[in-house]
């Protein structure tokens, strides 16, 4: 298991990995277009009152941030099916029930939000309050976490299995 100081692996299906790689390639290819837009706006004159210039610079900043995020995600992601485990880990489809009501269940994917476009399942991040509470949990284990509203919520892990993607 982990020592606790490394981040949990992000598992992506091959399809999700390929889709994110294509988005990254397209964004990198679009860099000259954004730079040309900034140069064209710069030539319009006074930069303090040039809304088009500032908008183009802001767009460039957002694009560069997304490029850096995708590069890091794709560099560190593990591609394929998450290994089967005897405890809840990122990349698992988890079913829980709330409080002591076995009929009030929810099934979701514990993983990166980036994978949400590849599934109809709700995706919860391992860093979320619920994700942190159930990480490492086993079937039948009950955990309590504090919701963003401040309420304490008790959940019990029913089952978990690797995400097929």
């Amino acid at each position: 298991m982990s020592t606790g100081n490394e981040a949990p692996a992000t598992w992506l299906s091959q399809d999700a990995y390929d889709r994110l790689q294509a988005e990254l390639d397209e964004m990198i290819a679009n860099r000259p277009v954004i730079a040309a837009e900034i140069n064209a706006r710069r030539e319009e004159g006074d930069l303090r009152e040039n809304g088009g210039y500032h908008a183009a610079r802001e767009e460039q900043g957002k694009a560069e941030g997304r490029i850096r995020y995708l590069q890091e995600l794709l560099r560190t992601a593990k591609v394929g099916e998450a290994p089967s485990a005897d405890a809840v880990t990122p990349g698992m489809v988890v079913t829980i029930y709330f409080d002591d009501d076995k009929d009030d269940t929810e099934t979701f994917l514990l993983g990166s939000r980036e994978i949400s476009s590849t599934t109809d399942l709700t995706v919860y991040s391992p860093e979320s309050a619920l994700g942190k509470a159930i990480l490492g949990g086993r079937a039948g284990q009950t955990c309590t976490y504090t919701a963003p509203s401040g309420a304490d919520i008790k959940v019990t892990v029913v089952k978990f299995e690797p995400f097929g993607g």
Side-chain angles (χ1 to χ4, degrees), residues 113-131:
R113 296 255 183 231
E114 294 299 325
I115 206 167
S116 64
S117 66
T118 68
T119 179
D120 291 333
L121 289 169
T122 300
V123 178
Y124 287 108
S125 165
E127 289 81 34
S128 69
L130 173 59

Side-chain angles (χ1 to χ4, degrees), residues 1-132:
M1 200 74 188
S2 74
T3 58
N5 34 355
E6 70 257 10
T10 298
W11 287 90
L12 296 173
S13 66
Q14 187 65 52
D15 180 59
Y17 182 91
D18 293 345
R19 183 180 49 77
L20 293 170
Q21 183 65 55
E23 178 187 347
L24 175 62
D25 293 345
E26 184 178 321
M27 291 187 81
I28 289 172
N30 198 37
R31 277 176 165 163
V33 175
I34 295 174
E37 176 73 14
I38 290 171
N39 286 335
R41 298 295 180 192
R42 183 182 293 127
E43 291 172 6
E44 291 175 359
D46 188 352
L47 296 181
R48 289 173 298 179
E49 298 177 14
N50 188 330
Y53 171 77
H54 294 290
R57 290 290 306 218
E58 188 174 321
E59 180 185 345
Q60 181 187 41
K62 287 178 184 175
E64 289 302 317
R66 179 74 176 157
I67 287 171
R68 283 191 301 277
Y69 173 79
L70 288 173
Q71 286 173 327
E72 182 63 13
L73 176 67
L74 295 172
R75 185 182 69 76
T76 59
K78 304 214 182 306
V79 179
E81 269 191 40
S84 61
D86 60 354
V88 175
T89 60
M92 295 273 179
V93 175
V94 183
T95 301
I96 59 170
Y97 66 83
F98 292 91
D99 296 315
D100 293 316
D101 183 355
K102 292 185 178 182
D103 294 326
D104 185 11
T105 64
E106 182 175 3
T107 299
F108 56 88
L109 174 63
L110 186 65
S112 165
R113 296 255 183 231
E114 294 299 325
I115 206 167
S116 64
S117 66
T118 68
T119 179
D120 291 333
L121 289 169
T122 300
V123 178
Y124 287 108
S125 165
E127 289 81 34
S128 69
L130 173 59
K132 286 179 182 175

